[in-house]
């Protein structure tokens, strides 16, 4: 499957709204942050993620197969996580009530990202067969 830009965005938003929301609900009580702040960060990751998908799609146009290895999808968590932390640290994410511990953000981001990546590269391919055949589009 070579994902289309629309497919990448739809997949990202769907998985954030399902797997990401569940993992956030399970993990937040163990971290020094409120549910409100955790879900605002999840929403910010979704919004900023649309821009990331456009950038990734542009970069992939220079590859011969217009896609990249699955491991690259996992490694993209590093720049995305760093950007989100910078935005949080500078107070540019509206709705976050107070300062967030860097380690709490890192744990939340890493667990949610890894959970999403595993879901997209495992169960989603089985549960949504047409998703694979439609360039990652769900609608």
């Amino acid at each position: 499957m070579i994902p289309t830009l629309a497919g990448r965005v739809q997949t990202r938003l769907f998985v954030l709204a399902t797997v990401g929301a569940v993992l956030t609900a399970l993990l937040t009580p163990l971290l020094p942050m409120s549910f409100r702040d955790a879900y605002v960060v999840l929403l910010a990751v979704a919004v900023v993620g649309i821009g990331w998908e456009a950038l990734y799609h542009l970069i992939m146009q220079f590859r011969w197969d217009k896609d990249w290895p699955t491991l690259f999808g996992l490694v993209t968590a590093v720049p995305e996580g760093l950007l989100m932390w910078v935005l949080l640290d500078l107070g540019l994410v509206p709705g976050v009530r107070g300062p967030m511990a860097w380690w709490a953000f890192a744990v939340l981001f890493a667990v949610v990202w890894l959970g999403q990546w595993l879901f997209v590269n495992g169960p989603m391919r089985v549960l949504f067969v047409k998703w694979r055949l439609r360039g990652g589009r769900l609608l």
Side-chain angles (χ1 to χ4, degrees):
M1 169 188 79
I2 297 177
T4 63
L5 179 57
R8 293 177 64 85
V9 171
Q10 287 176 23
T11 299
R12 177 182 285 255
L13 295 177
F14 172 74
V15 176
L16 271 171
T18 55
V19 176
V22 169
L23 289 174
T24 299
L26 294 173
L27 192 58
T28 301
L30 306 174
L31 298 172
M33 67 176 68
S34 68
F35 278 99
R36 182 180 190 278
D37 285 350
Y39 280 101
V40 168
V41 169
L42 190 67
L43 179 62
V45 168
V47 170
V48 172
I50 294 170
W52 277 113
E53 291 301 342
L55 177 63
Y56 296 152
H57 188 75
L58 176 67
I59 292 169
M60 283 191 293
Q61 299 312 303
F62 296 102
R63 292 185 47 86
W64 71 272
D65 62 351
K66 307 290 188 245
D67 198 5
W68 53 30
T70 304
L71 182 61
F72 283 21
L74 180 61
V75 174
T76 60
V78 174
E80 287 191 35
L82 289 174
L83 175 65
M84 284 311 304
W85 173 249
V86 168
L87 293 175
L88 279 167
D89 198 40
L90 295 175
L92 297 175
V93 178
V96 176
R97 291 186 177 159
M100 187 175 291
W102 69 268
W103 66 268
F105 168 78
V107 167
L108 180 65
F109 189 87
V111 168
V112 170
W113 186 269
L114 185 60
Q116 293 178 134
W117 183 80
L118 289 169
F119 181 77
V120 168
N121 289 291
M124 190 151 179
R125 294 174 187 256
V126 174
L127 298 173
F128 301 95
V129 176
K130 290 185 180 184
W131 165 79
R132 295 182 68 200
L133 303 174
R134 299 179 67 215
R137 288 178 291 128
L138 293 164
L139 301 176

